[in-house]
Amino acid sequence: VRAESATGFRTVTYRWRDDFDNAEIDRLHAEAFNAGTSEGRDWRAVLAGRSLGWVTARDEGHLVGFVNVVWDGLVHAWIQDTMVAANHRSRGIGTALIESARDQAAQSGCEWLHVDFEDHLSAFYIGACGFIPTSAGLIHL
Ligand SMILES: CC(C)(COP(=O)(O)OP(=O)(O)OC[C@H]1O[C@@H](n2cnc3c(N)ncnc32)[C@H](O)[C@@H]1OP(=O)(O)O)[C@@H](O)C(=O)NCCC(=O)NCCS
């Protein structure tokens, strides 16, 4: 599935279950979550085995955004690792990634899309992406 959105002067392409190199996800993840250097994770194996799907955003082929959608195999799906390259933020790419993830999860038969996040991201998830605020819990293992 492919969609496009004009973000300023260029066109960003969004794809569901797009092919990717581990290194390009790793670079984006390191930048987005301050991991600094590459973590060497095998994203292809992880996503193939655990995800309903994922959305990539590419600007002239370069990976500039990504979100993973994990699920319970039934009707619940969860947003994980939403990330946009620092030099592409505030152009609506993050919102478009979530919108695409939401559409794909719905088309796959899911009825609920969950996300948890730190307070400072409320303007993004609640304000821009349309999630309803709810209570959630977390245990660090
Ligand atoms: C969060 C993130 C994915 C947003 O991507 P983005 O492409 O910049 O988002 P959008 O342009 O669609 O933002 C739409 C609106 O959401 C809000 N918003 C976006 N990022 C925000 C942030 N980091 N903090 C607070 N509000 C934010 C703003 O209201 C924004 O509108 P504005 O640009 O007109 O102010 C991006 O900042 C990112 O990769 N951050 C680092 C990784 C991260 O924290 N991911 C979330 C993990 S739960």
Side-chain angles (χ1 to χ4, degrees):
V1 175
R2 185 183 153 135
E4 293 186 340
S5 78
T7 57
F9 52 96
R10 285 206 282 234
T11 300
V12 172
T13 303
Y14 300 89
R15 290 195 185 89
W16 176 245
R17 298 185 69 92
D18 184 24
D19 198 14
F20 58 84
D21 292 332
N22 284 329
E24 57 183 353
I25 303 280
D26 227 32
R27 269 195 301 275
L28 194 59
H29 193 267
E31 182 189 78
F33 296 103
N34 293 321
T37 50
S38 162
E39 296 155 331
R41 214 170 276 170
D42 189 351
W43 288 94
R44 291 172 68 102
V46 170
L47 296 183
R50 312 260 170 205
S51 291
L52 175 64
W54 54 91
V55 184
T56 60
R58 292 186 183 276
D59 183 350
E60 296 182 344
H62 297 289
L63 187 74
V64 296
F66 173 88
V67 66
N68 185 14
V69 184
V70 294
W71 70 317
D72 67 349
L74 297 168
V75 296
H76 294 272
W78 286 263
I79 291 292
Q80 196 64 39
D81 287 327
T82 314
M83 49 197 186
V84 173
N87 61 2
H88 278 71
R89 290 181 193 161
S90 293
R91 300 187 198 174
I93 295 174
T95 306
L97 284 169
I98 297 293
E99 194 179 315
S100 179
R102 172 185 176 161
D103 289 349
Q104 293 297 335
Q107 280 177 36
S108 302
C110 291
E111 294 175 12
W112 297 100
L113 185 61
H114 306 247
V115 67
D116 62 69
F117 51 86
E118 294 175 10
D119 280 347
H120 70 95
L121 286 168
S122 285
F124 176 65
Y125 286 112
I126 308 290
C129 298
F131 283 89
I132 298 164
T134 182
S135 301
L138 187 65
I139 297 176
H140 186 193
L141 303 175

